[in-house]
Amino acid sequence: MKESFPVSTAIKQAYAKLTVDPRVEDALAFLVPDQEKRLEEQIAIAKIPGFSYHEKERADAMKEYFRQYGLTDITTDRFGNVYGVRKGTGHGPRILIDAHTDSVFPLYTVLEPRFEGSKVHMPGITDDASGLAAMLSVLRALNHADISTVGDLVFAGIVEEEPGIFGMHKFLTEQTFDAVISLDCAGSNWFAVGASGECNYEVRFRSLDERINYGKYSQCLTAASRAAIKISEMTPLEKTMVLVDSICADPDKEQGCTTKLTRLNVQVRSCTKEAMGPTEEMIRKLMEEACAEENARCGEERVTFEMLKNEFLTPGAQDLNNPICGSAYTILTEMGVEEPRIVETGNSNSGEALRAGIQAVTMGTGGAHGGRHSLQEFFDTTDMHKGPQSIMLLALMMAGVVGAIEPQA
């Protein structure tokens, strides 16, 4: 085990006791063949359109699965989040296992699987139908082995993750937990311990006036294109990502005329709040350069810009000495991962838990993926059972198992 990663003796001892419990061994074995059913449900979930803010049908499907697998207190909250409880003995912590119900694909997207060897090609098959199906597999394993936990396990489908972790933020304003395990994407060799700060900039480039297009492009459009190239070539600060989301012209321009307004959307993600200010200045300088180059090219015609800032997520971090990080690391290394990849950047539902002061990680759901957020998305089923196995073990470490270990959360 990596010496530099903190894992307490208590966590190591609890894990050793947990994994020799016959009920846990039975549940781990059950999860291997259960992945056939998991994949069936994963495809069924992915077939339900789930574009952000249009997730009710998927949430209703999860609600029915929760009923089928014996959860109690099943609820759809006023935000659209759906959850149910697998009750513990009533004297332990409250642990959340969540995945998000939304996808990035418009409602008209064709959602049909295409099979190629161990791969299933389908928009949304990984992000996050895989998380939703993996939690159901964990639930079946717990029921099969009749495992009683000390703490309550809450299983939830959370809305509005893709636009900015909005659903989880709303959920946590009305719910409290001692630990959060978010399920997202594929893989069984990584876990995320932090959350990036996120800030969007809308840069508005304006030309002096609109003109008939005689084979010339509008200055504002060309300046925005120059700026996009500059962003793609910039070297960001450490643990910071800068990218152009989109370039769009004024939708109100008249037919046959070039646009006099072009919007460039720039997204910044950083692990540290301190990097946000300097990064903003770097972006502003590149925008100034793009305008200056365009004005130099066109002489008297002028192009200007303004930057509008929308800072909606702050960075989230936690003490890696806490139980959930140490447990996740122990589980993956004991399952044969030589060196787990510990992700400090990115944003998923666990990031909002960190911002709320709750120990939390995001776990991969097993298998592998490619083409995420594109029509070429696929899920590779190879070793997909390892995801639910690690997720279940982490949930049991946090909640405790009657007759085996005390809660570690």
Side-chain angles (χ1 to χ4, degrees):
M1 186 174 293
K2 188 178 179 182
E3 289 291 329
S4 61
F5 193 89
V7 179
S8 69
T9 300
I11 292 296
K12 295 176 183 178
Q13 291 175 343
Y15 179 81
K17 291 179 182 178
L18 178 69
T19 50
V20 296
D21 186 282
R23 296 164 296 175
V24 175
E25 292 178 332
D26 186 20
L28 290 170
F30 171 87
L31 283 168
V32 179
D34 187 65
Q35 296 317 290
E36 183 176 343
K37 184 171 184 62
R38 177 250 179 117
L39 183 61
E40 177 186 317
E41 291 179 340
Q42 188 169 329
I43 292 171
I45 292 167
K47 282 185 176 182
I48 303 172
F51 189 54
S52 301
Y53 308 110
H54 301 273
E55 305 161 59
K56 185 179 184 302
E57 189 177 353
R58 271 198 187 180
D60 286 346
M62 291 304 296
K63 197 171 185 177
E64 185 54 39
Y65 283 127
F66 290 165
R67 287 197 186 98
Q68 181 181 342
Y69 298 134
L71 295 187
T72 63
D73 303 317
I74 299 171
T75 304
T76 300
D77 70 12
R78 63 193 179 100
F79 310 114
N81 301 305
V82 59
Y83 63 96
V85 183
R86 191 175 190 275
K87 290 187 179 295
T89 61
H91 303 289
R94 196 163 185 250
I95 311 302
L96 174 65
I97 303 170
D98 77 87
H100 63 88
T101 54
D102 62 335
S103 76
V104 300
F105 300 101
L107 299 178
Y108 55 76
T109 307
V110 176
L111 300 173
E112 288 295 332
R114 178 174 62 84
F115 301 92
E116 180 186 20
S118 61
K119 296 178 181 178
V120 182
H121 297 260
M122 188 178 182
I125 188 65
T126 297
D127 189 9
D128 195 21
S130 180
L132 294 167
M135 76 162 66
L136 298 177
S137 185
V138 169
L139 184 51
R140 281 193 299 275
L142 295 173
N143 292 342
H144 165 81
D146 196 23
I147 294 176
S148 297
T149 56
V150 180
D152 291 350
L153 295 177
V154 179
F155 293 80
I158 303 294
V159 299
E160 300 169 19
E161 189 262 6
E162 297 292 359
I165 327 294
F166 299 144
M168 189 64 153
H169 175 77
K170 297 170 185 176
F171 188 59
L172 293 179
T173 63
E174 299 185 348
Q175 302 284 336
T176 58
F177 299 97
D178 297 283
V180 171
I181 306 167
S182 296
L183 315 182
D184 212 335
C185 300
S188 53
N189 65 341
W190 67 273
F191 63 101
V193 299
S196 305
E198 191 166 310
C199 184
N200 285 349
Y201 297 90
E202 181 184 299
V203 187
R204 296 180 179 178
F205 294 88
R206 297 182 188 274
S207 297
L208 184 63
D209 55 22
E210 198 169 46
R211 66 185 181 199
I212 302 298
N213 183 357
Y214 292 112
K216 295 182 178 180
Y217 290 104
S218 172
Q219 270 191 284
C220 63
L221 179 60
T222 311
S225 301
R226 290 178 184 273
I229 293 172
K230 289 177 181 293
I231 292 291
S232 71
E233 293 176 342
M234 73 177 286
T235 301
L237 299 176
E238 186 179 4
K239 296 182 180 179
T240 300
M241 178 183 73
V242 183
L243 57 87
V244 172
D245 275 339
S246 63
I247 301 178
C248 57
D250 184 357
D252 297 324
K253 75 183 184 72
E254 297 178 3
Q255 183 177 359
C257 293
T258 60
T259 183
K260 61 180 179 181
L261 170 65
T262 302
R263 295 180 176 89
L264 178 73
N265 291 313
V266 181
Q267 183 183 106
V268 176
R269 291 186 177 185
S270 179
C271 287
T272 64
K273 193 171 185 178
E274 292 74 20
M276 289 296 196
T279 299
E280 179 177 335
E281 290 307 308
M282 291 168 68
I283 294 170
R284 187 178 298 278
K285 183 178 180 181
L286 294 179
M287 301 303 103
E288 291 172 350
E289 290 177 2
C291 284
E293 290 171 8
E294 185 58 22
N295 286 327
R297 181 180 72 90
C298 293
E300 293 185 1
E301 287 190 77
R302 305 295 296 172
V303 60
T304 61
F305 79 94
E306 61 176 332
M307 279 178 58
L308 304 180
K309 181 178 180 180
N310 178 19
E311 186 172 12
F312 61 93
L313 290 175
T314 57
Q318 62 188 321
D319 183 355
L320 298 186
N321 288 283
N322 67 18
I324 197 166
C325 293
S327 295
Y329 188 87
T330 300
I331 289 164
L332 294 189
T333 54
E334 293 295 332
M335 288 181 65
V337 180
E338 184 173 345
E339 188 52 55
R341 184 164 60 93
I342 301 168
V343 181
E344 297 180 64
T345 58
N347 270 312
S348 62
N349 283 340
S350 68
E352 195 57 37
L354 295 179
R355 296 181 187 100
I358 305 169
Q359 58 177 323
V361 295
T362 293
M363 298 288 286
T365 61
H369 69 252
R372 192 169 63 90
H373 283 196
S374 77
L375 296 178
Q376 288 71 48
E377 185 170 342
F378 69 82
F379 178 78
D380 191 325
T381 62
T382 304
D383 289 335
M384 63 187 289
H385 65 280
K386 291 182 179 180
Q389 285 180 335
S390 62
I391 293 161
M392 183 190 72
L393 288 171
L394 184 57
L396 295 179
M397 286 286 288
M398 294 298 99
V401 175
V402 175
I405 62 169
E406 292 298 313
Q408 301 302 302

